[in-house]
Amino acid sequence: MSSPNSPDTEATSLTLSATEITSARLRLRAAREVDRDGFIELQTDPRVRLHLGGPRPRGAVEQSLDALGVARVTDKPGTFVIADRATDQLVGTLLLHRRPADLPGHVVEQGGELELTYVLRRDAWGAGLAFEAATAALRTAASELPDQPVLIVTQTANTRSLALAARLGFRRVSTFEAYDAEQTLAVADLHAFLV
């Protein structure tokens, strides 16, 4: 029998199967061609990318989107556009994926825990949208998947992200160096998000 702190192999291989999740103000959905400008903004805005390695050159982002196709950005299960429910405009992205075992920052020896990441356009900051999107995604995952740890990894300097993690119920467990900055690892049990 496995515990939430040492998920079995089957539990760590499962991913979120939902392709659309709704909340009061948001729809987590697949990408569409109309999201192109929003994706470019998320990748090139210096303030949005401050704790994410800095802005990427616009030309490189456009080339990448052209090569992949905007609609394919969310092909991987657990990858969503965060869209305003009323206007359907992209306000950000959210991913609930398995953290690769070869990266630092794990709470189980074999790695592969669920990891929540999100980013919002700057004009969507401060309205509680990241909390709402993360809560909706985590509740959906909790209803589909066995109980297991979920991680958030962010630069320690990103105090807004750390405050949101705490508000969601994640607890800080360690720090480590990666990408030339101190990173904070926070964890929560997936089933803590069941309604």
Side-chain angles (χ1 to χ4, degrees), residues 16 21-29 80-84 91-96 116-120 127-141 164 167-168 193:
L16 185 62
I21 302 167
T22 57
S23 66
R25 298 177 292 168
L26 302 171
R27 175 175 288 110
L28 280 61
R29 60 162 173 79
F80 300 94
V81 162
I82 304 169
D84 179 278
V91 296
T93 59
L94 180 141
L95 291 75
L96 190 59
L116 175 69
T117 60
Y118 49 84
V119 64
L120 296 182
L129 298 178
F131 179 83
E132 186 174 329
T135 300
L138 290 165
R139 282 182 180 162
T140 301
L164 176 59
R167 185 172 170 219
L168 286 164
F193 298 96

Side-chain angles (χ1 to χ4, degrees), residues 46-77:
R47 288 190 55 208
V48 169
R49 301 281 305 167
L50 179 64
H51 300 289
L52 300 170
R56 295 182 57 211
R58 183 180 180 93
V61 175
E62 290 174 342
Q63 185 177 24
S64 176
L65 288 172
D66 290 344
L68 179 63
V70 175
R72 299 206 52 218
V73 170
T74 55
D75 276 357
K76 185 175 178 182

Side-chain angles (χ1 to χ4, degrees), residues 143-195:
S143 70
E144 287 188 14
L145 302 174
D147 197 15
Q148 58 195 289
V150 182
L151 309 178
I152 289 179
V153 177
T154 189
Q155 281 189 14
T156 303
N158 191 348
T159 56
R160 291 174 63 121
S161 185
L162 289 173
L164 176 59
R167 185 172 170 219
L168 286 164
F170 285 78
R171 59 198 178 281
R172 295 182 196 196
V173 293
S174 67
T175 60
F176 58 92
E177 290 291 321
Y179 311 109
D180 298 322
E182 183 181 82
Q183 309 292 321
T184 294
L185 171 65
V187 65
D189 295 322
L190 182 60
H191 282 185
F193 298 96
L194 285 172
V195 188

